[in-house]
Amino acid sequence: MFDSITGSIRNAVNKIRHQDDVAALNKATSELKKALLKADVHHKTTKELITAIELQTKSAGIGQDSFLKALKSELTNLLTTSGNQGFVFSNTPPTTILMTGLQGSGKTTTTGKLANYLKTRKKKVLVAACDLQRLAAVEQLKQIAAQIDVDIYFDDNEKDPIKIAIAAKEKATKEFYDVLLIDTAGRLAIDEELMTQLKNIKDTIKPNEIFYVADSLTGHDATKTATTFKEKIGIDGVILSKYDGDTKGGVALSISHQVEVPLRFIGIGEKMPDLEVFIPDRIVSRLLGLGDIEGLAEKTSAIIDEKKAKEVTKKIKKGQFNFNDFLDQLSMMSKLGSMKSIIGMIPGLSQMAGPIKDMDFENSAEIKRIKALIGSMTPKEREDPELMNASRKRRIAIGSGLSEVQINKILKQFKNASKMAKQLSSKGGMKGLQNMLSQMGPNGMPKIPR
Protein backbone atom coordinates (compact mmCIF):
# COMPACT_ATOMS: atom_id res chain seq x y z
CA MET A 1 0.00 0.00 0.00
CA PHE A 2 2.91 2.37 0.76
CA ASP A 3 5.58 0.67 -1.37
CA SER A 4 6.72 3.84 -3.17
CA ILE A 5 7.06 5.95 -0.01
CA THR A 6 8.65 3.07 1.94
CA GLY A 7 11.27 2.66 -0.80
CA SER A 8 12.04 6.39 -0.69
CA ILE A 9 12.42 6.31 3.10
CA ARG A 10 14.82 3.37 2.82
CA ASN A 11 16.93 5.23 0.26
CA ALA A 12 17.05 8.32 2.48
CA VAL A 13 18.13 6.28 5.52
CA ASN A 14 20.93 4.63 3.48
CA LYS A 15 22.43 8.06 2.74
CA ILE A 16 23.58 8.29 6.36
CA ARG A 17 26.53 5.94 6.74
CA HIS A 18 28.64 7.70 9.40
CA GLN A 19 28.06 9.41 12.72
CA ASP A 20 27.90 13.24 12.85
CA ASP A 21 27.88 13.54 9.04
CA VAL A 22 25.89 16.77 8.47
CA ALA A 23 26.32 16.57 4.68
CA ALA A 24 24.84 13.05 4.65
CA LEU A 25 21.87 14.21 6.74
CA ASN A 26 21.27 17.06 4.29
CA LYS A 27 21.33 14.59 1.38
CA ALA A 28 18.95 12.25 3.22
CA THR A 29 16.41 14.96 4.07
CA SER A 30 16.68 16.45 0.57
CA GLU A 31 15.92 13.08 -1.02
CA LEU A 32 13.09 12.48 1.42
CA LYS A 33 11.61 15.91 0.69
CA LYS A 34 11.65 15.32 -3.08
CA ALA A 35 10.09 11.87 -2.65
CA LEU A 36 7.28 13.15 -0.41
CA LEU A 37 6.40 16.01 -2.76
CA LYS A 38 6.49 13.62 -5.72
CA ALA A 39 4.17 11.29 -3.79
CA ASP A 40 1.66 14.16 -3.50
CA VAL A 41 2.20 14.91 0.19
CA HIS A 42 1.07 18.50 0.81
CA HIS A 43 3.97 20.98 0.56
CA LYS A 44 3.24 22.54 3.99
CA THR A 45 3.09 19.10 5.60
CA THR A 46 6.35 18.10 3.90
CA LYS A 47 8.14 21.24 5.04
CA GLU A 48 7.07 20.83 8.68
CA LEU A 49 7.96 17.12 8.69
CA ILE A 50 11.45 17.58 7.22
CA THR A 51 12.25 20.47 9.60
CA ALA A 52 11.15 18.42 12.63
CA ILE A 53 13.16 15.36 11.52
CA GLU A 54 16.31 17.46 11.02
CA LEU A 55 16.04 19.11 14.43
CA GLN A 56 15.39 15.88 16.30
CA THR A 57 18.19 14.00 14.49
CA LYS A 58 20.74 16.76 15.19
CA SER A 59 19.77 17.04 18.87
CA ALA A 60 20.20 13.27 19.33
CA GLY A 61 23.43 13.10 17.32
CA ILE A 62 23.45 12.38 13.57
CA GLY A 63 23.37 8.69 12.69
CA GLN A 64 21.10 6.10 11.09
CA ASP A 65 19.51 5.11 14.40
CA SER A 66 18.72 8.68 15.45
CA PHE A 67 17.43 9.49 11.95
CA LEU A 68 15.13 6.46 12.00
CA LYS A 69 13.94 7.30 15.49
CA ALA A 70 13.17 10.88 14.42
CA LEU A 71 11.37 9.61 11.31
CA LYS A 72 9.19 7.28 13.35
CA SER A 73 8.41 9.89 15.99
CA GLU A 74 7.63 12.75 13.60
CA LEU A 75 5.61 10.62 11.17
CA THR A 76 3.49 9.42 14.10
CA ASN A 77 3.00 13.02 15.27
CA LEU A 78 2.08 14.02 11.72
CA LEU A 79 -0.60 11.34 11.36
CA THR A 80 -2.03 11.78 14.86
CA THR A 81 -4.88 14.27 15.05
CA SER A 82 -7.20 14.84 18.00
CA GLY A 83 -10.34 12.74 17.66
CA ASN A 84 -11.32 9.10 17.48
CA GLN A 85 -9.42 6.38 15.65
CA GLY A 86 -11.04 3.49 13.78
CA PHE A 87 -14.70 2.90 14.61
CA VAL A 88 -16.00 4.02 18.01
CA PHE A 89 -19.28 2.66 19.34
CA SER A 90 -21.81 4.75 21.22
CA ASN A 91 -22.78 3.80 24.78
CA THR A 92 -26.39 3.91 23.61
CA PRO A 93 -27.03 1.83 20.44
CA PRO A 94 -27.48 2.23 17.61
CA THR A 95 -24.24 4.04 16.82
CA THR A 96 -25.42 6.32 14.01
CA ILE A 97 -22.99 7.41 11.30
CA LEU A 98 -23.76 9.94 8.57
CA MET A 99 -21.82 9.03 5.42
CA THR A 100 -21.08 12.13 3.32
CA GLY A 101 -19.03 12.97 0.24
CA LEU A 102 -19.13 14.25 -3.31
CA GLN A 103 -20.75 12.27 -6.11
CA GLY A 104 -18.28 9.78 -7.58
CA SER A 105 -16.10 9.61 -4.47
CA GLY A 106 -17.14 6.00 -3.77
CA LYS A 107 -19.39 6.94 -0.84
CA THR A 108 -22.06 4.25 -1.39
CA THR A 109 -19.46 1.51 -1.94
CA THR A 110 -17.57 2.69 1.15
CA THR A 111 -20.80 2.54 3.17
CA GLY A 112 -21.05 -1.12 2.14
CA LYS A 113 -17.41 -1.77 3.01
CA LEU A 114 -17.86 -0.22 6.45
CA ALA A 115 -21.00 -2.30 7.00
CA ASN A 116 -19.05 -5.43 6.03
CA TYR A 117 -16.16 -4.45 8.35
CA LEU A 118 -18.61 -4.19 11.26
CA LYS A 119 -20.50 -7.36 10.34
CA THR A 120 -17.30 -9.44 10.40
CA ARG A 121 -16.87 -8.14 13.94
CA LYS A 122 -20.26 -9.60 14.92
CA LYS A 123 -22.19 -6.33 14.86
CA LYS A 124 -25.80 -6.04 13.72
CA VAL A 125 -25.78 -3.36 11.01
CA LEU A 126 -28.53 -1.46 9.20
CA VAL A 127 -27.77 0.70 6.16
CA ALA A 128 -30.20 3.44 5.13
CA ALA A 129 -30.60 4.50 1.49
CA CYS A 130 -30.99 8.28 1.73
CA ASP A 131 -29.20 9.21 -1.49
CA LEU A 132 -32.19 10.16 -3.63
CA GLN A 133 -30.15 12.53 -5.79
CA ARG A 134 -28.18 10.09 -7.93
CA LEU A 135 -30.06 7.73 -10.21
CA ALA A 136 -29.59 4.09 -9.16
CA ALA A 137 -27.87 5.00 -5.86
CA VAL A 138 -30.60 3.20 -3.88
CA GLU A 139 -30.43 0.19 -6.20
CA GLN A 140 -26.65 0.08 -5.84
CA LEU A 141 -26.92 0.04 -2.05
CA LYS A 142 -29.57 -2.71 -2.25
CA GLN A 143 -27.20 -4.87 -4.30
CA ILE A 144 -24.28 -4.24 -1.92
CA ALA A 145 -26.43 -5.04 1.12
CA ALA A 146 -27.52 -8.32 -0.49
CA GLN A 147 -23.92 -9.16 -1.39
CA ILE A 148 -22.62 -8.74 2.17
CA ASP A 149 -25.85 -9.95 3.78
CA VAL A 150 -26.71 -6.89 5.90
CA ASP A 151 -30.12 -5.27 6.33
CA ILE A 152 -31.12 -2.16 4.41
CA TYR A 153 -33.87 0.40 4.94
CA PHE A 154 -35.29 2.12 1.86
CA ASP A 155 -38.59 3.59 0.71
CA ASP A 156 -39.08 3.83 -3.05
CA ASN A 157 -42.20 5.97 -2.59
CA GLU A 158 -40.64 8.60 -0.31
CA LYS A 159 -38.92 11.62 -1.84
CA ASP A 160 -37.71 13.25 1.38
CA PRO A 161 -34.35 11.82 2.60
CA ILE A 162 -34.95 13.22 6.10
CA LYS A 163 -38.12 11.13 6.51
CA ILE A 164 -36.25 8.01 5.33
CA ALA A 165 -33.44 8.70 7.80
CA ILE A 166 -35.96 9.17 10.66
CA ALA A 167 -37.75 5.90 9.80
CA ALA A 168 -34.41 4.06 9.52
CA LYS A 169 -33.31 5.27 12.96
CA GLU A 170 -36.66 4.23 14.46
CA LYS A 171 -36.23 0.75 12.96
CA ALA A 172 -32.61 0.53 14.15
CA THR A 173 -33.61 1.51 17.69
CA LYS A 174 -36.70 -0.69 17.87
CA GLU A 175 -34.95 -3.78 16.46
CA PHE A 176 -31.76 -3.41 18.53
CA TYR A 177 -29.22 -2.78 15.77
CA ASP A 178 -25.68 -2.00 16.90
CA VAL A 179 -24.95 0.40 14.04
CA LEU A 180 -26.92 2.53 11.58
CA LEU A 181 -25.05 3.81 8.50
CA ILE A 182 -26.89 6.53 6.59
CA ASP A 183 -25.84 6.91 2.94
CA THR A 184 -26.56 10.51 1.93
CA ALA A 185 -26.64 12.34 -1.40
CA GLY A 186 -23.59 13.87 -3.02
CA ARG A 187 -23.07 16.39 -5.81
CA LEU A 188 -20.44 16.79 -8.50
CA ALA A 189 -19.32 19.90 -6.62
CA ILE A 190 -20.10 21.51 -3.26
CA ASP A 191 -23.25 23.62 -3.41
CA GLU A 192 -25.63 25.29 -0.97
CA GLU A 193 -28.49 22.85 -1.62
CA LEU A 194 -26.32 19.84 -0.76
CA MET A 195 -25.02 21.39 2.45
CA THR A 196 -28.50 22.47 3.54
CA GLN A 197 -29.84 18.95 3.02
CA LEU A 198 -26.97 17.36 4.95
CA LYS A 199 -27.29 19.89 7.77
CA ASN A 200 -31.03 19.19 8.05
CA ILE A 201 -30.43 15.43 8.25
CA LYS A 202 -27.68 16.02 10.82
CA ASP A 203 -29.89 18.28 12.99
CA THR A 204 -32.83 15.84 12.79
CA ILE A 205 -31.03 12.52 13.28
CA LYS A 206 -28.22 13.79 15.56
CA PRO A 207 -25.67 11.18 14.41
CA ASN A 208 -22.88 10.09 16.71
CA GLU A 209 -20.33 10.91 14.03
CA ILE A 210 -20.10 12.21 10.46
CA PHE A 211 -17.67 10.52 8.07
CA TYR A 212 -16.49 12.25 4.92
CA VAL A 213 -15.50 9.94 2.04
CA ALA A 214 -12.67 11.50 0.01
CA ASP A 215 -11.49 10.20 -3.36
CA SER A 216 -7.72 9.73 -2.99
CA LEU A 217 -7.29 9.96 -6.77
CA THR A 218 -8.18 13.66 -6.60
CA GLY A 219 -4.99 14.36 -4.60
CA HIS A 220 -4.94 17.77 -2.90
CA ASP A 221 -8.54 18.43 -4.01
CA ALA A 222 -9.57 15.73 -1.53
CA THR A 223 -8.03 17.85 1.23
CA LYS A 224 -9.77 21.02 0.03
CA THR A 225 -13.25 19.42 -0.17
CA ALA A 226 -12.82 17.70 3.21
CA THR A 227 -11.92 21.09 4.73
CA THR A 228 -15.05 22.67 3.21
CA PHE A 229 -17.30 19.89 4.53
CA LYS A 230 -15.73 20.32 7.95
CA GLU A 231 -16.42 24.07 7.93
CA LYS A 232 -19.97 23.78 6.58
CA ILE A 233 -21.44 20.82 8.51
CA GLY A 234 -18.64 19.45 10.68
CA ILE A 235 -16.99 16.05 10.15
CA ASP A 236 -15.49 13.64 12.70
CA GLY A 237 -13.40 11.53 10.37
CA VAL A 238 -12.23 11.00 6.81
CA ILE A 239 -12.32 7.75 4.84
CA LEU A 240 -10.02 7.68 1.81
CA SER A 241 -11.52 5.67 -1.05
CA LYS A 242 -9.76 4.20 -4.13
CA TYR A 243 -6.37 4.26 -2.40
CA ASP A 244 -5.30 1.16 -4.35
CA GLY A 245 -5.50 3.21 -7.57
CA ASP A 246 -3.41 6.07 -6.18
CA THR A 247 0.16 5.24 -7.23
CA LYS A 248 1.52 8.28 -5.35
CA GLY A 249 -0.18 7.65 -2.01
CA GLY A 250 0.90 10.88 -0.34
CA VAL A 251 -2.60 12.20 0.34
CA ALA A 252 -2.93 9.70 3.21
CA LEU A 253 0.06 11.30 4.94
CA SER A 254 -1.17 14.88 4.74
CA ILE A 255 -4.98 14.92 4.75
CA SER A 256 -5.50 14.63 8.52
CA HIS A 257 -2.69 17.13 9.18
CA GLN A 258 -4.21 19.69 6.81
CA VAL A 259 -7.90 19.14 7.65
CA GLU A 260 -7.23 18.58 11.37
CA VAL A 261 -9.66 15.66 11.40
CA PRO A 262 -8.44 12.05 11.87
CA LEU A 263 -8.18 9.73 8.90
CA ARG A 264 -10.25 6.74 10.07
CA PHE A 265 -10.21 4.18 7.23
CA ILE A 266 -8.64 3.60 3.81
CA GLY A 267 -10.29 1.76 0.90
CA ILE A 268 -7.56 -0.43 -0.61
CA GLY A 269 -9.40 -2.39 -3.32
CA GLU A 270 -12.65 -3.01 -5.12
CA LYS A 271 -13.95 -5.83 -2.92
CA MET A 272 -16.06 -5.38 0.21
CA PRO A 273 -13.32 -6.62 2.62
CA ASP A 274 -10.87 -4.08 1.19
CA LEU A 275 -11.21 -1.48 3.93
CA GLU A 276 -8.46 -0.92 6.49
CA VAL A 277 -8.60 0.95 9.76
CA PHE A 278 -6.04 3.79 9.89
CA ILE A 279 -4.09 3.72 13.18
CA PRO A 280 -1.11 6.16 13.00
CA ASP A 281 1.55 4.12 14.84
CA ARG A 282 0.66 0.99 12.83
CA ILE A 283 0.81 2.88 9.54
CA VAL A 284 4.20 4.37 10.48
CA SER A 285 5.49 0.87 11.21
CA ARG A 286 4.46 -0.19 7.70
CA LEU A 287 5.94 2.94 6.14
CA LEU A 288 9.28 2.03 7.71
CA GLY A 289 9.00 -1.53 6.34
CA LEU A 290 8.42 -3.03 9.81
CA GLY A 291 4.99 -4.49 9.05
CA ASP A 292 1.89 -4.39 11.25
CA ILE A 293 1.54 -7.62 13.20
CA GLU A 294 -1.06 -6.12 15.53
CA GLY A 295 -3.25 -5.04 12.59
CA LEU A 296 -2.83 -8.43 10.91
CA ALA A 297 -3.85 -10.25 14.11
CA GLU A 298 -6.92 -8.04 14.45
CA LYS A 299 -7.88 -8.55 10.81
CA THR A 300 -7.49 -12.32 10.83
CA SER A 301 -9.14 -12.85 14.23
CA ALA A 302 -12.36 -11.33 12.85
CA ILE A 303 -12.37 -13.82 9.95
CA ILE A 304 -10.67 -17.03 11.08
CA ASP A 305 -12.48 -19.69 13.06
CA GLU A 306 -9.94 -20.56 15.77
CA LYS A 307 -11.21 -24.13 16.17
CA LYS A 308 -10.99 -24.78 12.43
CA ALA A 309 -7.55 -23.19 12.24
CA LYS A 310 -6.24 -25.61 14.91
CA GLU A 311 -7.73 -28.59 13.05
CA VAL A 312 -6.10 -27.51 9.77
CA THR A 313 -2.75 -26.96 11.52
CA LYS A 314 -2.87 -30.52 12.91
CA LYS A 315 -3.67 -31.87 9.43
CA ILE A 316 -0.81 -29.91 7.86
CA LYS A 317 1.67 -31.23 10.45
CA LYS A 318 0.54 -34.80 9.70
CA GLY A 319 0.60 -34.23 5.94
CA GLN A 320 -3.18 -34.80 5.70
CA PHE A 321 -4.18 -31.47 4.10
CA ASN A 322 -6.86 -32.22 1.45
CA PHE A 323 -8.89 -30.44 -1.23
CA ASN A 324 -11.80 -29.64 1.11
CA ASP A 325 -9.32 -27.92 3.45
CA PHE A 326 -7.92 -26.01 0.48
CA LEU A 327 -11.38 -24.70 -0.48
CA ASP A 328 -12.03 -23.67 3.14
CA GLN A 329 -8.74 -21.77 3.27
CA LEU A 330 -9.45 -20.14 -0.10
CA SER A 331 -12.83 -18.93 1.16
CA MET A 332 -11.23 -17.54 4.32
CA MET A 333 -8.48 -15.75 2.40
CA SER A 334 -11.00 -14.08 0.07
CA LYS A 335 -12.69 -12.56 3.13
CA LEU A 336 -9.42 -10.96 4.22
CA GLY A 337 -9.30 -8.74 1.14
CA SER A 338 -6.34 -8.14 -1.17
CA MET A 339 -3.22 -10.26 -0.67
CA LYS A 340 -1.08 -7.16 -1.21
CA SER A 341 -2.41 -5.52 1.96
CA ILE A 342 -1.93 -8.69 4.02
CA ILE A 343 1.69 -9.17 2.90
CA GLY A 344 2.37 -5.50 3.63
CA MET A 345 1.53 -6.19 7.28
CA ILE A 346 4.19 -8.91 7.63
CA PRO A 347 7.66 -7.53 8.50
CA GLY A 348 10.18 -7.94 5.69
CA LEU A 349 7.78 -9.43 3.14
CA SER A 350 6.41 -6.39 1.30
CA GLN A 351 9.45 -6.24 -0.99
CA MET A 352 9.86 -9.95 -1.74
CA ALA A 353 6.41 -11.49 -2.07
CA GLY A 354 6.54 -11.30 -5.88
CA PRO A 355 3.50 -12.19 -7.97
CA ILE A 356 1.52 -13.61 -5.05
CA LYS A 357 0.83 -10.10 -3.70
CA ASP A 358 -1.27 -9.31 -6.81
CA MET A 359 -3.26 -12.51 -6.53
CA ASP A 360 -7.08 -12.37 -6.72
CA PHE A 361 -8.50 -15.24 -4.68
CA GLU A 362 -11.85 -15.14 -6.45
CA ASN A 363 -11.33 -14.11 -10.05
CA SER A 364 -7.92 -15.35 -11.21
CA ALA A 365 -8.03 -17.82 -14.11
CA GLU A 366 -5.84 -20.34 -12.27
CA ILE A 367 -8.01 -20.31 -9.14
CA LYS A 368 -11.09 -20.87 -11.32
CA ARG A 369 -9.37 -23.87 -12.92
CA ILE A 370 -8.48 -25.30 -9.49
CA LYS A 371 -12.08 -24.86 -8.32
CA ALA A 372 -13.36 -26.54 -11.52
CA LEU A 373 -11.02 -29.47 -10.89
CA ILE A 374 -12.11 -29.89 -7.27
CA GLY A 375 -15.77 -29.47 -8.27
CA SER A 376 -15.45 -32.48 -10.60
CA MET A 377 -14.06 -34.74 -7.86
CA THR A 378 -16.01 -37.20 -5.76
CA PRO A 379 -16.25 -36.56 -1.99
CA LYS A 380 -13.70 -39.35 -1.40
CA GLU A 381 -11.23 -37.85 -3.88
CA ARG A 382 -11.46 -34.46 -2.19
CA GLU A 383 -10.72 -36.05 1.17
CA ASP A 384 -7.85 -38.21 -0.10
CA PRO A 385 -5.66 -36.69 -2.84
CA GLU A 386 -3.66 -39.96 -2.99
CA LEU A 387 -6.60 -41.66 -4.77
CA MET A 388 -5.78 -39.86 -8.02
CA ASN A 389 -4.95 -42.33 -10.80
CA ALA A 390 -5.04 -42.13 -14.61
CA SER A 391 -8.71 -43.11 -15.01
CA ARG A 392 -9.87 -40.70 -12.31
CA LYS A 393 -7.86 -37.89 -13.91
CA ARG A 394 -9.49 -38.62 -17.31
CA ARG A 395 -12.96 -38.45 -15.76
CA ILE A 396 -12.15 -35.20 -13.90
CA ALA A 397 -10.70 -33.69 -17.10
CA ILE A 398 -14.01 -34.29 -18.92
CA GLY A 399 -16.06 -32.94 -15.99
CA SER A 400 -13.95 -29.81 -15.44
CA GLY A 401 -13.19 -28.93 -19.06
CA LEU A 402 -9.45 -29.07 -18.35
CA SER A 403 -6.77 -31.04 -20.18
CA GLU A 404 -4.99 -33.92 -18.46
CA VAL A 405 -1.78 -31.85 -18.64
CA GLN A 406 -3.49 -29.05 -16.65
CA ILE A 407 -4.87 -31.62 -14.19
CA ASN A 408 -1.41 -33.10 -13.59
CA LYS A 409 0.13 -29.66 -13.16
CA ILE A 410 -2.43 -28.57 -10.54
CA LEU A 411 -2.19 -31.87 -8.64
CA LYS A 412 1.61 -31.60 -8.59
CA GLN A 413 1.40 -28.02 -7.32
CA PHE A 414 -1.05 -29.10 -4.61
CA LYS A 415 1.26 -31.92 -3.51
CA ASN A 416 4.23 -29.51 -3.36
CA ALA A 417 2.15 -26.98 -1.43
CA SER A 418 1.21 -29.61 1.17
CA LYS A 419 4.88 -30.57 1.58
CA MET A 420 5.98 -26.94 1.94
CA ALA A 421 3.24 -26.22 4.48
CA LYS A 422 4.29 -29.28 6.49
CA GLN A 423 7.94 -28.16 6.45
CA LEU A 424 6.96 -24.62 7.46
CA SER A 425 4.86 -25.88 10.38
CA SER A 426 7.74 -27.99 11.65
CA LYS A 427 10.49 -25.37 11.10
CA GLY A 428 8.38 -22.33 11.91
CA GLY A 429 9.71 -18.81 11.98
CA MET A 430 9.81 -15.92 9.55
CA LYS A 431 12.65 -17.43 7.51
CA GLY A 432 10.56 -20.48 6.68
CA LEU A 433 7.67 -18.24 5.61
CA GLN A 434 9.96 -16.13 3.42
CA ASN A 435 11.38 -19.24 1.75
CA MET A 436 7.86 -20.53 1.08
CA LEU A 437 6.65 -17.23 -0.41
CA SER A 438 9.72 -16.95 -2.63
CA GLN A 439 8.71 -20.26 -4.25
CA MET A 440 5.08 -19.25 -4.82
CA GLY A 441 3.56 -18.74 -8.25
CA PRO A 442 0.85 -16.19 -9.12
CA ASN A 443 -1.90 -18.68 -8.20
CA GLY A 444 -0.67 -19.08 -4.63
CA MET A 445 0.67 -22.57 -5.36
CA PRO A 446 4.36 -23.54 -5.58
CA LYS A 447 6.14 -23.14 -8.90
CA ILE A 448 6.92 -26.44 -10.62
CA PRO A 449 10.67 -26.76 -11.38
CA ARG A 450 11.46 -26.94 -15.11
Side-chain angles (χ1 to χ4, degrees):
M1 184 166 67
F2 298 105
D3 286 355
S4 175
I5 298 172
T6 299
S8 300
I9 288 173
R10 191 179 296 109
N11 290 338
V13 171
N14 289 337
K15 295 285 181 192
I16 303 175
R17 300 179 186 277
H18 309 288
Q19 298 295 113
D20 300 322
D21 190 340
V22 177
L25 176 62
N26 291 337
K27 281 182 183 178
T29 53
S30 178
E31 177 155 334
L32 187 59
K33 182 180 178 180
K34 286 177 188 174
L36 292 173
L37 290 172
K38 190 178 178 182
D40 226 10
V41 177
H42 197 280
H43 65 94
K44 288 182 181 176
T45 301
T46 300
K47 186 179 179 181
E48 286 182 35
L49 178 64
I50 295 298
T51 301
I53 289 170
E54 281 182 336
L55 286 172
Q56 190 174 327
T57 304
K58 286 176 180 177
S59 66
I62 298 170
Q64 272 199 5
D65 288 345
S66 59
F67 184 65
L68 268 170
K69 191 175 180 182
L71 256 174
K72 188 173 184 179
S73 170
E74 294 306 328
L75 278 169
T76 304
N77 288 340
L78 174 73
L79 297 177
T80 305
T81 307
S82 61
N84 292 325
Q85 292 180 350
F87 195 93
V88 177
F89 295 94
S90 166
N91 293 327
T92 310
T95 303
T96 304
I97 306 294
L98 206 61
M99 302 291 291
T100 67
L102 293 181
Q103 194 171 305
S105 64
K107 175 174 50 61
T108 300
T109 301
T110 301
T111 300
K113 287 182 177 182
L114 188 56
N116 183 71
Y117 171 88
L118 295 163
K119 187 199 167 194
T120 58
R121 284 151 182 80
K122 316 297 183 208
K123 300 300 177 183
K124 187 180 179 183
V125 185
L126 178 68
V127 293
C130 294
D131 182 355
L132 309 182
Q133 183 71 27
R134 179 170 64 90
L135 290 173
V138 175
E139 187 57 39
Q140 182 189 357
L141 194 60
K142 285 181 188 177
Q143 290 176 8
I144 290 171
Q147 180 188 337
I148 62 177
D149 193 25
V150 300
D151 295 334
I152 179 171
Y153 182 86
F154 62 92
D155 187 342
D156 290 333
N157 298 314
E158 181 57 65
K159 302 302 178 189
D160 185 350
I162 296 175
K163 289 181 180 178
I164 294 174
I166 290 169
K169 185 151 188 184
E170 286 174 355
K171 176 181 171 68
T173 305
K174 186 179 178 183
E175 298 180 23
F176 303 104
Y177 282 87
D178 296 305
V179 179
L180 169 63
L181 301 178
I182 300 174
D183 183 30
T184 63
R187 295 286 197 285
L188 292 173
I190 295 167
D191 62 21
E192 203 58 44
E193 186 184 353
L194 169 65
M195 290 302 168
T196 300
Q197 187 185 97
L198 289 174
K199 194 171 186 308
N200 288 340
I201 294 175
K202 173 191 172 183
D203 293 343
T204 305
I205 298 301
K206 294 181 171 53
N208 296 99
E209 292 196 290
I210 299 173
F211 285 173
Y212 175 76
V213 179
D215 183 346
S216 67
L217 297 177
T218 61
H220 295 313
D221 281 345
T223 303
K224 291 175 188 173
T225 51
T227 301
T228 304
F229 265 75
K230 179 193 173 188
E231 291 168 353
K232 298 273 187 181
I233 61 164
I235 57 175
D236 302 289
V238 175
I239 300 179
L240 268 182
S241 65
K242 309 176 192 176
Y243 196 69
D244 56 310
D246 183 8
T247 54
K248 294 180 178 180
V251 66
L253 301 190
S254 52
I255 193 164
S256 59
H257 179 255
Q258 291 300 313
V259 183
E260 295 183 332
V261 168
L263 179 55
R264 308 287 283 273
F265 291 91
I266 293 182
I268 53 165
E270 295 179 3
K271 295 186 175 65
M272 286 296 115
D274 290 333
L275 185 75
E276 277 196 13
V277 65
F278 191 94
I279 306 292
D281 57 343
R282 295 184 189 178
I283 296 298
V284 170
S285 182
R286 290 169 70 174
L287 281 167
L288 297 177
L290 304 174
D292 177 13
I293 293 299
E294 193 178 342
L296 182 63
E298 184 183 288
K299 191 169 189 173
T300 53
S301 66
I303 303 295
I304 296 171
D305 183 316
E306 197 173 333
K307 189 179 177 184
K308 264 193 174 183
K310 286 180 180 177
E311 288 173 4
V312 169
T313 303
K314 283 180 183 177
K315 281 187 166 186
I316 287 171
K317 284 182 177 177
K318 291 178 181 178
Q320 296 172 348
F321 189 75
N322 61 45
F323 288 106
N324 283 329
D325 299 322
F326 178 79
L327 286 178
D328 286 343
Q329 296 305 298
L330 207 58
S331 173
M332 181 270 292
M333 290 300 286
S334 68
K335 290 176 185 175
L336 285 172
S338 68
M339 192 67 182
K340 189 181 287 186
S341 69
I342 297 166
I343 285 175
M345 290 179 167
I346 304 172
L349 292 192
S350 60
Q351 300 299 312
M352 57 74 62
I356 194 174
K357 68 181 179 183
D358 297 316
M359 185 180 172
D360 185 335
F361 283 102
E362 291 181 56
N363 300 314
S364 81
E366 292 204 51
I367 288 295
K368 285 178 180 176
R369 283 196 284 270
I370 294 169
K371 285 182 176 179
L373 181 149
I374 297 172
S376 300
M377 290 179 172
T378 65
K380 279 189 177 180
E381 287 165 348
R382 291 188 193 189
E383 284 292 328
D384 187 359
E386 296 300 320
L387 289 175
M388 288 295 111
N389 55 30
S391 63
R392 288 177 188 269
K393 288 175 188 176
R394 281 194 294 272
R395 190 201 78 245
I396 290 167
I398 294 168
S400 62
L402 301 173
S403 68
E404 286 188 52
V405 172
Q406 287 174 315
I407 299 276
N408 284 327
K409 182 184 175 184
I410 292 169
L411 291 175
K412 191 169 184 180
Q413 285 179 319
F414 183 83
K415 195 171 184 179
N416 289 344
S418 297
K419 280 182 184 176
M420 283 167 61
K422 186 179 179 181
Q423 288 171 359
L424 179 64
S425 66
S426 60
K427 289 179 183 177
M430 192 56 65
K431 195 170 183 180
L433 182 59
Q434 288 179 338
N435 289 337
M436 187 176 85
L437 282 172
S438 67
Q439 297 174 57
M440 288 292 190
N443 65 342
M445 297 281 241
K447 300 168 189 169
I448 296 175
R450 297 190 177 186

